[in-house]
Amino acid sequence: MRVCKQHQSVIHFIFVSAFLIFTLISQVHAQGKVIGIISVDWEGRILDEKNLEAMEAFREDYPHIGLLHFLNAAYYTKTNANPYKVTRKIKQVLRNNDEHGLHIHAWRSLVEYANVTFRRSPNWSYPGPISLNSCYTSGDCGANVPISAYTTDELKDIISVSKQILINNGFKQPVSFRAGGWMAEPNVITALSAEGFLFDSSATAPALLKGRRWSNRLYNWLNGLWTTITPVSQPYLIGPAYSPLWEIPDNGILADYITGPEMLAVLKQNIEKWRKNPQQTIYVSIGFHQETADKYLHRIRDAVDLFENYTEEQQVPFEWIQLPLSSATF
């Protein structure tokens, strides 16, 4: 009898969720617009003032834009990390209209903090395993090991610990996620679903990355993982049938690899898609890394100006948001 009730509860949850999703999508589609998302990948490596100052200047110049921050708990697990200072530095660039998501690179300090055995391979920078000497000389290592190298159960532990660290330090409960290097294999998606996430933004258009890095290893992996993702790919349901989540493609990639005018070219492709059915809502995702903001954030500035000027000239309904369907209750 207990099993039957559980099944009824699950079926009820699925139907209610499906109804809410259908209702929200119908409402969004009725508006008919193009939506821009600007994300920030916090790599968990270091919090340099020059990058934080570049971000603060951007927030002052574009106060109307909320950002989708993919925060990394590894800042807190480094040796001798000061939680108060880490939190203060991160929060100095956050604003009330921001979304707090989760970003995970497989840093050794974070993996071992979650009581998971650290893996030194594979990695997207070099063909061989990571040297343990680099872990000691750099203070941490493992950022270029795809998190999909870990099992689903191990990932659930790493994700759960990461969430709790962020919440304990005053950040919002994350419901959105991006894998380090966009490497979200099916086991990552399964772990995210089990941990209650609603959105993933790891899918990316590999074509935009081709030839943009010193090594093609990551591009080759992504080209096999996200084969069907293009610069005009739109949100879709992904993951296990019992607990799917929305995949929000990072279809405009990140500023380290693409310029403002190139981002505008992605926007134009998506506007052409929108024009074929003006009742639909089209999403364009661009972003940058906190760790390289001083070097590349100017490209996002260029893109924002180009996006806003072009959509105004073309009379395309356009707005910036932090997360699609962020008001949804699942």
Side-chain angles (χ1 to χ4, degrees):
M1 192 68 171
R2 181 180 300 171
V3 174
C4 291
K5 287 183 178 179
Q6 289 177 343
H7 284 177
Q8 289 174 355
S9 177
V10 169
I11 292 171
H12 175 73
F13 174 82
I14 291 173
F15 274 107
V16 170
S17 298
F19 174 77
L20 288 171
I21 292 171
F22 175 80
T23 301
L24 284 163
I25 293 175
S26 298
Q27 291 174 347
V28 171
H29 281 189
Q31 297 172 2
K33 64 181 71 174
V34 177
I35 285 177
I37 302 170
I38 300 179
S39 63
V40 188
D41 282 16
W42 296 72
E43 301 291 83
R45 186 181 304 277
I46 194 169
L47 296 165
D48 277 346
E49 283 302 324
K50 64 180 181 179
N51 295 312
L52 298 173
E53 288 172 1
M55 291 178 66
E56 280 194 286
F58 177 84
R59 306 316 304 268
E60 291 174 4
D61 292 340
Y62 300 94
H64 63 291
I65 299 178
L67 300 178
L68 170 53
H69 296 275
F70 290 111
L71 301 171
N72 200 314
Y75 297 113
Y76 292 94
T77 59
K78 307 288 187 195
T79 302
N80 299 322
N82 183 315
Y84 172 78
K85 290 182 179 179
V86 169
T87 301
R88 177 179 55 80
K89 285 188 174 185
I90 296 174
K91 288 192 172 182
Q92 76 183 57
V93 299
L94 303 187
R95 299 295 182 266
N96 291 333
N97 58 342
D98 290 345
E99 183 80 21
H100 299 177
L102 177 64
H103 189 48
I104 295 180
H105 279 266
W107 292 102
R108 182 180 184 181
S109 66
L110 177 62
V111 170
E112 293 184 345
Y113 189 89
N115 293 317
V116 173
T117 301
F118 174 67
R119 286 171 170 73
R120 295 193 292 140
S121 64
N123 73 84
W124 58 66
S125 295
Y126 305 97
I130 294 172
S131 167
L132 286 178
N133 288 335
S134 68
C135 297
Y136 302 123
T137 57
S138 66
D140 208 348
C141 62
N144 54 354
V145 174
I147 62 173
S148 52
Y150 293 86
T151 68
T152 301
D153 286 339
E154 289 172 333
L155 285 167
K156 286 193 288 186
D157 289 339
I158 296 169
I159 292 168
S160 178
V161 162
S162 296
K163 286 196 303 181
Q164 200 56 56
I165 289 173
L166 293 175
I167 292 170
N168 288 348
N169 285 281
F171 299 98
K172 301 173 187 175
Q173 169 91 19
V175 296
S176 55
F177 181 84
R178 177 173 293 155
W182 301 281
M183 287 297 297
E185 296 273 4
N187 60 328
V188 176
I189 300 302
T190 299
L192 290 175
S193 295
E195 288 299 314
F197 280 78
L198 305 180
F199 309 99
D200 177 65
S201 188
S202 302
T204 194
L208 296 178
L209 192 66
K210 187 175 183 179
R212 303 297 178 111
R213 291 172 55 89
W214 65 274
S215 168
N216 281 329
R217 285 176 63 80
L218 181 57
Y219 161 75
N220 291 335
W221 289 358
L222 292 171
N223 200 38
L225 176 58
W226 302 115
T227 306
T228 63
I229 302 300
T230 72
V232 295
S233 291
Q234 293 300 304
Y236 62 95
L237 287 172
I238 193 173
Y242 61 85
S243 183
L245 65 157
W246 284 99
E247 180 62 53
I248 315 295
D250 187 19
N251 54 5
I253 211 164
L254 302 179
D256 299 57
Y257 314 110
I258 186 171
T259 66
E262 288 172 324
M263 293 179 199
L264 177 62
V266 171
L267 174 70
K268 289 180 178 179
Q269 291 179 58
N270 281 278
I271 287 176
E272 288 305 307
K273 185 169 185 173
W274 171 80
R275 289 190 189 282
K276 293 176 182 178
N277 178 11
Q279 298 305 309
Q280 65 182 321
T281 292
I282 295 292
Y283 297 96
V284 180
S285 174
I286 59 176
F288 63 98
H289 293 93
Q290 179 275 138
E291 273 80 349
T292 55
D294 180 59
K295 187 174 182 180
Y296 293 114
L297 187 51
H298 71 91
R299 294 181 174 181
I300 297 296
R301 287 176 170 271
D302 292 343
V304 169
D305 294 340
L306 289 168
F307 278 32
E308 294 181 351
N309 290 337
Y310 183 78
T311 53
E312 182 177 357
E313 291 171 0
Q314 297 295 314
Q315 298 184 332
V316 174
F318 176 82
E319 68 174 302
W320 300 101
I321 69 168
Q322 304 92 310
L323 189 68
L325 308 179
S326 60
S327 62
T329 302
F330 289 81

